[in-house]
Structures are given as C-alpha cells and as structure tokens.
Amino acid sequence: MLLTVTPEGEILDQMPVAVMLRTINKIPVMQYEITSDAKVIVYRLEPVSDVSIPLSDFTSFMAHRVDRTYEIDQNGKFVLVNTKRYKAKTYTRDMLDKKDYNVYDGDEIPM
C-alpha cells in the first residue's frame, strides 16, 4: 500500500501499488514507481479471463498490461490522470519467475 499522510501521521489516502507473490522467486503482477515530478505510475497485469488464476502452480495466462498514472492533489488524494492499456499477450511462469523481471520493462504493444 502507498499512503499519503499528514506530518502528524494521519492517513489521507491509500492505494495498492504492488503485489509480489512468493514461490521459488517472486512473481510480479503489479508494481509501481514514483517519478521525479511526484507522479505515481502503477503497472498491472489484468487477466483477460475472469476465471481465477492459481498463481501457485500456473504455467501461463493471457493478460493486458495496464499503466495508470496518478497525481496527488492538494488534499493528499490520489487522482487518476492517465490510463494506458496494452494489447493482450501470454505471460508465462518462466517469464514472470525471473528474478529481474519487471512489469514495466515488457515489450507490450499499446492499444
């Protein structure tokens, strides 16, 4: 979770920004970055099917990569300012299980 807080520690807003599922290595299905101009970009693999994917033993699945960019407003709230979707592709366990794989480094084709 990424939080915005007051100097006193009061939580103003929160949003999930990363998921790393542990198997032998880590399998990234959602990651984030904070840019130098204070934007938050959340990179997420969104499965094409609504059928649950057992990440503990899957071999591959079809998903769209979706990048969402947020700014933090004057009230400390995350505000969605851009969404970029990519064409669906097959993500394999071998691909995602690599220690240095990052969702944002993929070769997806923008829609």
Side-chain angles (χ1 to χ4, degrees):
M1 289 297 248
L2 189 60
L3 307 172
T4 56
V5 297
T6 66
E8 297 76 30
E10 175 189 357
I11 297 173
L12 301 172
D13 203 2
Q14 60 185 335
M15 89 174 148
V17 293
V19 175
M20 298 295 271
L21 301 167
R22 281 218 178 264
T23 56
I24 295 171
N25 290 320
K26 295 179 181 181
I27 298 175
V29 291
M30 181 169 42
Q31 296 174 302
Y32 77 101
E33 74 172 307
I34 300 173
T35 66
S36 60
D37 58 349
K39 290 187 170 103
V40 177
I41 305 173
V42 180
Y43 307 94
R44 183 176 180 161
L45 300 181
E46 296 184 357
V48 172
S49 173
D50 58 357
V51 175
S52 181
I53 299 168
L55 292 176
S56 61
D57 63 354
F58 80 97
T59 56
S60 66
F61 65 97
M62 287 286 292
H64 294 276
R65 177 177 139 197
V66 180
D67 302 350
R68 290 184 175 89
T69 303
Y70 298 85
E71 292 179 346
I72 301 170
D73 71 11
Q74 66 275 11
N75 298 311
K77 302 292 184 185
F78 294 104
V79 178
L80 180 65
V81 294
N82 188 38
T83 300
K84 186 173 186 179
R85 292 183 60 83
Y86 296 82
K87 292 183 180 180
K89 74 178 239 179
T90 300
Y91 292 87
T92 65
R93 176 170 210 93
D94 289 339
M95 174 194 304
L96 298 175
D97 215 16
K98 291 181 181 169
K99 197 174 194 176
D100 60 347
Y101 181 83
N102 291 304
V103 174
Y104 49 83
D105 286 335
D107 60 354
E108 293 83 0
I109 299 168
M111 292 177 72

